[in-house]
Each structure stands twice: as structure tokens, then as C-alpha cells.
Amino acid sequence: MSNSLLSWLSASFTRKIGGLSTILLSFILIVILYSVVQLNTISREMRELAEIDIPLTQLASEFELKQLEQHILLERIRLASSTTASDSSGQKNLSLQLNEHSQLVQTLLEQAVTVASNALKTHEILDGIQAHKELLNHLEAYARSHEILHARIAQTLALPLDEQNGEEFETAAEQMDLATETLLNQIEQLTEEVADITEGHEQRFLLVDTALGTSAFVIGIYITLYLIVSFRRHMGEIQRKVDRLNHSLQGSSATEISLEPAAGDDELARLAANIDGVLDSFTSEMKNRSEVEKQLLQLATTDKLTGALNRHKWDETLAQEIRLANRGMPLSLLILDLDNFKGINDRWGHDVGDRVLVRTVELIRENVRSSDLIFRLGGEEFALLFRNHSKQQAAVVAEELRQIFEQLEEKNLPPFTASFGITQYESGDSQENLIKRADDALYQAKTNGRNRLELG
Ligand SMILES: Nc1nc2c(ncn2[C@@H]2O[C@H](COP(=O)(O)OP(=O)(O)OP(=O)(O)O)[C@@H](O)[C@H]2O)c(=O)[nH]1
């Protein structure tokens, strides 16, 4: 249980919203289904109530009328017996009317019994089955007692209403009135009871529906608040991190940042804008870094004065080029040393000497391929590596350079010459072997008079 709660808490925002929305929708669906079922039941109850209640109420009204008529008839009989005791034809007439009246009452009773029986057979929803059963029993009992009482009254009326007979008449008449009144009360009570049951159902439905609706509303509010609070919390955290990152990329202090979004700001829009800022800063930072790295690499591998590759790069590159030459790619090495450079320095000064060194590299670069590598080994000594060149091809280039130096006439630059020692990679050569052969050739060129080239 706690595990599933933990996994839910750490689930994605989309999953959380989906889960909570499913709960809310299920709840609302239950409320709707419950309402539909209850409303349907209540509507059927109302229909059934109308089907039973209306005919019973009508019958009850007719009973009331019949009771009144019966009362009047009995009164008339009493009156007739007290005033014209000898008029037996009037009494007979009234007796006949009472007979007719009694038959009408019996017909009404039969109708009431039919209504109550039908209610018992066809209506299943109302809880008033027991009450209807009781009413049916009452109706049947009343019908029997009405028949008996009427027979007793008729019997008394068959004779003159003397004192004894009159008493019997009064007793039977009173009992009939009482029985009719009791039955009317029972019918009224039943319809009220049934109405109360339906009303109770309605109230219960309203209560449960209100409770469910309120619960759905509370869940909805809770979900909304939860989402808002979580959203704001996560958004605040992300915002703070982005701000800090942005400021640290821009080199300012993170503590100076206002963390509250500006009033009316859309948090997501603000976050997107800040991420853009971070990306911009990051991109320019990366650009600066790669620029710096490039500069550092250049400083580490090139000679500051001439721009030629330096001694450190020379060792690394020569080893690499020898590995390639070992696989069959021709490689030639040329070592070039300016002649009597000390004399240039002495005569023209160190700065002029520097300019000669710079110009030497420029001239070399202008006259070799871009794939040929130029190194300053130290002082006024340079090395060139020619890939895919034999030493004869390298000698052609060296001769060109020699002539260029020799013939160079430039303002602010003294004349100068150089000597060249040239060799090529032989199978199994080490770095030292290769360099030594070139050095020896250079030495040879120097001893042979300078401003010349020798092959080793
Ligand atoms: N201007 C300048 N001079 C340098 C630099 N590095 C070395 N030198 C000078 O180069 C000179 C080299 O002199 P040497 O080794 O005697 O050689 P050289 O005078 O050229 O004589 P050979 O090589 O035998 O023809 C020294 O005087 C160094 O001070 C530099 O960067 N700039």
C-alpha cells in the first residue's frame, strides 16, 4: 500500500493528473448512475402511487357520500317511525331505498377490493404491500359486516319499530356508521402512508445525491488545489535552478536573483524565456571555451615568434609521420639553418634578426604545399616534413627556397642565406636515425661553404 503510494507520488505529472481525473470521473459517473436509478425508481413509485391512490381516493369520496346518504336514510326511517308509526308503507319504501343503497355500497366495495388486489399483484416497487394487504382484509371484513348489519337493519324494518325493535335498529345503524367511518379512515391512512414512503425515498435520494455531489466537488477541489500546488512547487524549483544556472553562466551571483515571477507572468512562458537565456549563455560559453581551447592548443604547439610548429609538436608529429611511413607512405625530411645568423644579430640587432626569422617562415609557407609541415627546432634552425615526397622532390623545393632567400631584396631586411640537409625515410628508420642523416647532410652543406643543399 505504502509502496504503491510512494510510486504514485514519484510518478510523472501526466500520470498523476490522469489518475486523479479517472477517480473524479468515476465518482461523477457513480453519482450520475445513482441519480438515474433513483430518479427512475421514484418516478415509477409516483406512477404506482397515482395508479393506486387516485382510484382509492375517488372511492373514499364516494363512500363518504354513501355514508351521508345512509345516515340521511336512517334518520328518515327514525323520523318516519316516530311520527307515523302506523304508516308501514312509508317505512317499506324507505327500507327499499336502504336496500338499493346497500347494493351500491357493495358495488363500491367490490371496486375497492379490485383496486387493492391489483395494487398487490402489479405493483412491486412500493413498500406499502403490507398496508395494502391489511386494507384488502379490512375491505373484505367491512363488506361482510356491512352485509350482516344491513340484513339486521332490514330485519328490524320488516317489523314496526317498537321499543325493542327500535333499539335493535339503532344499534345496527350505529355499528354500520362506525364501520363505514373506520374503513374511510383506513383508506385515508393508507394513501398517506404510501405518500410518506415515496416522500422518504425522495428525501433519501436527495440526501445521498447531495452527499455524493459534495464529495465529487471536494475531490475536484482537492485535485485542482493539489495540481496547482505541485505545479507551482515544481515550477518554482525549476525556475530557481534555471535562474541560478543562467546567472552562473553569466558570471553573476545566484543569491541576487528575484525568485518570484512578475505579476501576471505566465510561469511556463517565463521558464521558456529563461531556458532560452540559459541556452544562449551556454552556447556562447561553449563558443568561448572552444576558442580558448583552440588558442591554448595553438600556444602549446606553435612558436610564438614565427608561427611555425614548435619543438614539442615536432617530437609528437615526427613519431606519427614515421608510423605512417612505416605503412608505405614516402616521407622526406629537410633541416634548414640560416647562415651566419649570429653575424646578422650582431650587425643589425636582435629585432632585425627576429624579422629575418619571421620572414623565413613566411617564405617557406608561400612555397610549399599546405600539407607540408614547418617546425622551428630552435634558434635559426627549421625542419620541414614532406609527405609523399622523395628526397629528390624535397631537394627541388629546397633549391627553390635557397634561391628565394639568396635573391631576396626587401626594405628593412638584410640579405641572408640558408643551408639545407635533406634525407628521406628508409625502412626501419628510427626518429634519431632520420634526424641524424638530415643533420649530417646539413653539416656537410655548412662545411661545404653554406648557402647550399646536401642529400643524406
Ligand atoms: N634574433 C634572434 N636571434 C636568435 C634567436 N634564437 C637564437 N638566436 C641567435 O642565433 C645565433 C646562432 O648562432 P650560431 O649557433 O653561432 O650559428 P650561426 O651564427 O648561424 O652560424 P652557422 O650556423 O654556423 O652558420 C645566436 O647568436 C643566437 O643568439 C632568436 O629568437 N632571435
Side-chain angles (χ1 to χ4, degrees), residues 337-338 340-342 345 350 354 376 379-380 446 450:
D337 191 279
L338 296 182
N340 301 315
F341 191 65
K342 185 176 179 309
N345 271 338
H350 204 268
D354 280 353
R376 185 180 178 196
E380 80 295 14
K446 289 276 184 187
R450 296 185 174 78

Side-chain angles (χ1 to χ4, degrees), residues 238-259 270 274-275 277-282 285:
I238 295 168
Q239 189 70 61
R240 272 190 287 279
K241 284 176 184 167
V242 169
D243 280 347
R244 211 174 300 149
L245 184 61
N246 202 4
H247 279 71
S248 62
L249 280 171
Q250 289 168 7
S252 50
S253 165
T255 50
E256 291 165 13
I257 308 160
S258 159
L259 301 176
R270 186 169 179 257
N274 282 1
I275 288 174
V278 169
L279 284 175
D280 285 350
S281 305
F282 192 70
E285 177 71 14

